[in-house]
Amino acid sequence: MAVDLEKILRPVDHPYPPYPAKYMTLASGETLVIRQATRDEVPTLLKHVAPLVFVERDYYDLVAARVYAELLGWYHYRMQDEYVLVAQIDGELAAIVNGRSVTGKQGMSLHTLAMRRGLRIGAHAFAAKMEYHIDILGQDEVLVVAESPIGFRRWMIEYQLEERFDTPHELGGVPSYALTKELFDRARSKLVVGRRPVPEDLLAKAHEAILPPSDPPTPPADLLAATRAKYDLTGTALILQRWAQDRSADDA
Amino acid sequence: MEREIFGYKCQKCGTLHYPFRMVCKNCRANGYFEFDTVPLPHAGKLLTFTFIHNLPAEFEVARLGLGIVELENGLRVTGQIQIDDPKLGMDVVGAIEVVKRDAYDNRYGFVFRAA
Amino acid sequence: MREVYIIGIGITTFTRLEYPLSEIAAYASMGALKDAGLTDVDYLVVANMGSARINSQSALASAVADTLSLTPAGAVRVENGPASGASAIKEGFMAVASGMHDTVLVAGAERMREVNSLEATDFVATLTHPMAEYIYGVTLPGHAAMFTRLYMEKYGVTERHLAMVGVKNQNNAMLNKDAHLHQPISLEGILDSPEAMTNNPWVAEPIRFFDCCPVSDGGAALILASKEVAEASGRPMIRISGIGQATDTLAVHEREEPTDLMAVRRAAEQAYAMAGIKPKDIDVAELHDAFTILEIVESEEVGFFEKGKGHIALEKGETEIGGKMPINPSGGLKGKGHPVGATGVAQVHEIVMQLRGDAGERQVKGAKNGLACNFGGFGNNVIVSTYTREG
């Protein structure tokens, strides 16, 4: 009986082709490898995503929490046709991007989570995701939304996305935007970079282990100070601080 | 209504200014209403230009062309440009159009195109 | 006029800071007071550009004086665009030189990361001409870009020269623990590799991402004192030897020669005349490289190199820390960061470190005379100042 119920709960993935790994030189001169992660690597990824759930700035908390859930969903076979790409520098995790296929012709971008900033790693990883949907999977368009103003500005305006407001996005049910093949082709020369095949030693290093990010985003230094700021960009009103206060009240 | 951008001509020494100033740069004539307004010519040469990709919040476009133009009368102005492949020194002609929407207000200014 | 000395310096890390603006100014000030061995000053001058607009706090100087429990000392805020910092130093200088006060705390602070980058860009753009520039969408990178295009055409400056300034300064910042960017960049990564143009996209053609300074929070502070107080303090005697300031037309298009930055040239001439020194006497300089082109042009306008030859000196490595004329050993605005109101003060913080011989790995050997150029607007309000180590 239990086995039969699992059959109902577990979606059947379609046999989509894998993402061919690529590499590129970053502004720092370091080499970034972008490759598809395997389901076995999810526990390692979760370990590196978890601390970001408590970074109450730039929507890192919300995005990390959702990525955590999506990774778990994939790991426990509760999400259909999901894939995860990782960007690594010398093995170190620099970004995670994920998405899924809605149909054979339509993809859905889920998240872009950058662990190192200032080198456009998020932009490279996002472009790789779009490349996967349009070029490798041969889809016509990818549905995109953004949680953060930074993401909105970058994707919606840089790529000039089309409105698909009749289609609610799986992330919060908000109206979708779409990156079509035509728009992608127009942005391709400017935004999609990388070389293939990845030299064997680089690829081996990337597969060997997903190392922790060396300089990940951290929570605000002084939570109390942050509440006194007039604009709380994240809008989360410092959940952590409230917890801390509640705890001390319980102790008393 | 035909809109114009105005230059300011000193009544005393004839020096033309743009933008508006209250004291003449040349003769320092100091008094009220010392300037006659003169519509600026629309034709000129493109002195320099840029395409801005990171714009202030109100401009929701991917990139915006801007240039400095030396008008026929020698006065220089800053304006937006709508030219695909601008060249330094090329002939341009300006139209007065909406350059910015500011809440409910339209701001008008020069938009230059290839002559 | 009395002689004026800098006897204390303090700074916060330049980055995104999560505490209130008045405390950013106060932390740097506490460092400076401690360095000078003082618990009290006669007067405070606080440099800041955007508190009322971006942080919803006006009359910042009162808040800083109170946070530091320096009341009832007089306090004033100086807002002079990106030249606020040096303007505050000038104000403090005049207060001591005139004999009105013996000790003045000059603090600069800015908290720009409280708003997003679009709002920050718009906020800085408000210093342009409201009717003739701002409404068109002109930004500071836009001004720098139009200027760069002319400079490239006239003097043969190339994108590679601009990138070289960025690499130099961002790598200098690696030696500065208080710098915003601790991320080395390479010419390969931002100019030569097949991915370079995507790593380093246009901000305003022909200016790219790595030609621009970051948007930073941060504070810096100095203690200015009369000769008697300075001698009694036992701190190294760093004298403010010259200050010059000049303005230029608000609208950039009104300038007669569009490739000149006359305000820089005039301010530098005044400063040298007051100090009785020549450009060749300067051992170390902090120039206002909000955009890489500005370091090249300012190095010419302050007289280090002939007009149109700054990029040649750069090519030869003369502006590196070990070079003939080291520029921006701190990392400059490009690497150290640009919290607008703090910048002018932070430049002098670095000069004092250098003249005291306290700059560690980035020390310019034997520096005796230093120069700072704080560039307001797009060259419409510039202060150049010089500093001399005595003894």
Side-chain angles (χ1 to χ4, degrees):
Chain A
M1 186 64 202
V3 170
D4 289 340
L5 191 54
E6 179 62 22
K7 260 186 194 163
I8 295 166
L9 296 175
R10 180 180 292 206
V12 178
D13 279 353
H14 293 87
Y16 287 114
Y19 179 78
K22 66 176 179 180
Y23 73 107
M24 62 194 69
T25 304
L26 295 171
S28 59
E30 293 164 296
T31 305
L32 185 77
V33 174
I34 300 180
R35 66 172 179 93
Q36 190 153 13
T38 64
R39 201 178 243 120
D40 291 344
E41 288 173 315
V42 167
T44 311
L45 292 176
L46 290 177
K47 197 165 71 184
H48 303 325
V49 171
L52 300 179
V53 171
F54 302 100
V55 177
E56 295 179 30
R57 56 158 72 156
D58 298 341
Y59 294 88
Y60 264 100
D61 50 355
L62 174 60
V63 172
R66 285 180 168 181
V67 168
Y68 196 98
E70 288 153 12
L71 286 169
L72 268 186
W74 186 43
Y75 190 62
H76 290 308
Y77 297 94
R78 288 297 180 272
M79 185 101 140
Q80 192 173 22
D81 291 330
E82 188 187 352
Y83 66 90
V84 176
L85 307 183
V86 289
Q88 292 169 276
I89 302 168
D90 275 339
E92 171 194 331
L93 184 61
I96 299 176
V97 288
N98 65 343
R100 58 179 299 270
S101 291
V102 183
T103 67
K105 286 289 151 200
Q106 193 181 50
M108 183 169 286
S109 166
L110 293 173
H111 285 104
T112 302
L113 182 58
M115 273 91 162
R116 240 170 89 179
R117 306 181 76 177
L119 292 172
R120 286 184 67 87
I121 289 170
H124 286 319
F126 181 83
K129 171 157 74 170
M130 297 301 133
E131 184 189 25
Y132 187 33
H133 283 288
I134 306 278
D135 290 354
I136 314 292
L137 303 181
Q139 292 171 338
D140 297 332
E141 64 178 31
V142 190
L143 299 177
V144 183
V145 290
E147 278 115 349
S148 75
I150 299 171
F152 183 85
R153 180 75 173 182
R154 176 153 283 163
W155 317 137
M156 309 306 167
I157 296 177
E158 207 165 76
Y159 286 91
Q160 300 264 297
L161 304 185
E162 284 178 16
E163 293 175 358
R164 290 283 183 279
F165 284 2
D166 48 342
T167 315
H169 198 282
E170 287 173 15
L171 297 178
V174 296
S176 298
Y177 287 81
L179 178 76
T180 61
K181 182 168 175 8
E182 191 198 338
L183 292 174
F184 184 68
D185 285 338
R186 216 181 295 157
R188 186 186 297 274
S189 63
K190 209 172 69 176
L191 296 169
V192 188
V193 292
R195 287 166 270 172
R196 293 190 176 94
V198 182
E200 264 176 38
D201 54 329
L202 272 179
L203 199 59
K205 176 82 187 166
H207 278 292
E208 189 185 304
I210 297 178
L211 302 172
S214 58
D215 187 18
T218 49
D222 179 352
L223 292 174
L224 200 67
T227 47
R228 279 180 278 153
K230 186 184 168 203
Y231 305 102
D232 179 12
L233 257 192
T234 65
T236 49
L238 294 158
I239 297 159
L240 277 182
Q241 191 196 334
R242 209 169 302 150
W243 287 354
Q245 282 171 348
D246 290 350
R247 263 201 306 277
S248 56
D250 290 347
D251 292 345
Chain B
M1 188 183 72
E2 197 64 21
R3 291 173 197 274
E4 292 294 349
I5 304 286
F6 292 95
Y8 301 86
K9 190 173 187 174
C10 177
Q11 287 174 353
K12 216 167 186 178
C13 73
T15 304
L16 200 55
H17 302 85
Y18 176 80
F20 173 72
R21 54 180 65 238
M22 295 184 70
V23 173
C24 176
K25 236 183 140 176
N26 180 46
C27 69
R28 310 265 165 114
N30 183 356
Y32 292 116
F33 309 112
E34 288 284 344
F35 296 97
D36 292 325
T37 49
V38 184
L40 294 179
H42 290 206
K45 282 192 189 319
L46 187 63
L47 282 191
T48 182
F49 63 92
T50 181
F51 290 99
I52 300 188
H53 294 250
N54 292 34
L55 286 153
E58 291 87 356
F59 293 85
E60 298 264 309
V61 291
R63 65 169 209 172
L64 177 72
L66 286 173
I68 294 179
V69 171
E70 184 161 295
L71 300 172
E72 277 171 342
N73 61 359
L75 218 55
R76 292 178 193 154
V77 297
T78 300
Q80 292 178 356
I81 59 168
Q82 288 187 6
I83 304 169
D84 287 337
D85 184 20
K87 297 269 183 291
L88 295 179
M90 74 185 285
D91 290 320
V92 294
V93 61
I96 314 299
E97 296 176 8
V98 173
V99 291
K100 182 184 185 182
R101 285 177 219 283
D102 206 351
Y104 298 102
D105 295 327
N106 289 332
R107 306 283 177 205
Y108 288 85
F110 268 123
V111 177
F112 290 98
R113 296 181 179 82
Chain C
M1 228 168 30
R2 299 203 295 173
E3 293 186 327
V4 182
Y5 294 80
I6 298 173
I7 62 168
I9 58 174
I11 198 162
T12 71
T13 301
F14 283 10
T15 177
R16 175 172 176 161
L17 297 175
E18 303 277 352
Y19 47 92
L21 178 62
S22 52
E23 290 176 23
I24 295 175
Y27 280 134
S29 301
M30 287 164 73
L33 285 163
K34 197 179 275 182
D35 183 35
L38 294 181
T39 51
D40 237 327
V41 289
D42 301 337
Y43 185 47
L44 283 81
V45 189
V46 179
N48 169 270
M49 181 171 165
S51 71
R53 181 173 166 132
I54 24 190
N55 316 101
S56 301
Q57 181 171 24
S58 50
L60 182 65
S62 316
V64 176
D66 187 44
T67 304
L68 291 165
S69 299
L70 288 173
T71 49
V76 65
R77 170 184 161 203
V78 171
E79 192 276 297
N80 199 19
S84 298
S87 304
I89 295 171
K90 191 180 174 201
E91 168 79 11
F93 173 88
M94 293 190 293
V96 176
S98 65
M100 194 156 181
H101 296 296
D102 286 328
T103 53
V104 176
L105 168 67
V106 176
E110 202 74 59
R111 190 175 174 205
M112 305 181 72
R113 300 292 293 254
E114 191 162 342
V115 294
N116 66 40
S117 64
L118 310 185
E119 288 175 58
T121 302
D122 184 53
F123 155 64
V124 179
T126 57
L127 62 76
T128 61
H129 195 290
M131 282 87 83
E133 294 179 336
Y134 179 71
I135 59 158
Y136 289 104
V138 171
T139 60
L140 269 287
H143 270 319
M146 290 194 280
F147 184 89
T148 302
R149 193 179 294 282
L150 292 172
Y151 228 76
M152 286 175 155
E153 180 80 6
K154 188 163 176 185
Y155 296 113
V157 171
T158 63
E159 277 197 42
R160 180 165 300 272
H161 293 112
L162 302 182
M164 284 169 73
V165 173
V167 170
K168 171 180 76 76
N169 290 354
Q170 213 160 321
N171 289 350
N172 283 355
M174 294 297 290
L175 307 173
N176 183 352
K177 69 172 176 55
D178 296 314
H180 186 163
L181 300 180
H182 280 141
Q183 177 66 68
I185 51 172
S186 66
L187 283 181
E188 202 217 338
I190 64 170
L191 201 66
D192 296 330
S193 78
E195 294 87 20
M197 297 302 103
T198 302
N199 289 335
N200 193 10
W202 296 125
V203 170
E205 300 170 34
I207 282 191
R208 293 183 175 277
F209 178 79
F210 285 102
D211 290 317
C212 303
C213 63
V215 176
S216 319
D217 300 336
L222 309 169
I223 306 288
L224 273 46
S226 63
K227 189 166 190 174
E228 298 76 50
V229 174
E231 280 169 348
S233 76
R235 301 299 293 147
M237 299 289 280
I238 310 293
R239 186 166 56 87
I240 301 177
S241 51
I243 300 185
Q245 181 175 18
T247 51
D248 203 341
T249 61
L250 182 55
V252 172
H253 65 239
E254 274 198 279
R255 315 236 169 112
E256 263 170 49
E257 179 51 63
T259 50
D260 283 352
L261 293 176
M262 286 311 291
V264 178
R265 200 179 303 170
R266 289 178 174 132
E269 283 165 3
Q270 289 174 31
Y272 291 132
M274 180 171 162
I277 56 174
K278 296 261 181 297
K280 65 171 173 41
D281 298 322
I282 301 293
D283 305 306
V284 57
E286 286 281 309
L287 302 182
H288 194 108
D289 59 331
F291 307 102
T292 48
I293 185 72
L294 289 180
E295 177 173 311
I296 297 174
V297 184
E298 289 168 22
S299 73
E300 299 163 1
E301 299 286 15
V302 302
F304 296 156
F305 311 114
E306 218 177 292
K307 184 78 185 165
K309 297 282 168 59
H311 63 292
I312 310 285
L314 170 78
E315 268 177 17
K316 292 185 190 157
E318 290 179 20
T319 58
E320 286 169 18
I321 290 175
K324 271 200 279 190
M325 184 58 248
I327 294 174
N328 288 326
S330 69
L333 283 60
K334 169 77 190 93
K336 184 163 76 173
H338 186 23
V340 188
T343 286
V345 182
Q347 289 179 317
V348 177
H349 178 280
E350 174 69 11
I351 295 295
V352 173
M353 296 260 284
Q354 292 285 346
L355 298 186
R356 286 178 176 183
D358 287 346
E361 285 182 89
R362 61 179 196 280
Q363 179 67 45
V364 174
K365 287 201 182 67
K368 188 171 185 302
N369 287 303
L371 175 142
C373 173
N374 194 191
F375 183 89
F378 195 78
N380 58 41
N381 201 326
V382 179
I383 295 181
V384 173
S385 49
T386 60
Y387 303 85
T388 300
R389 186 190 71 224
E390 290 186 353

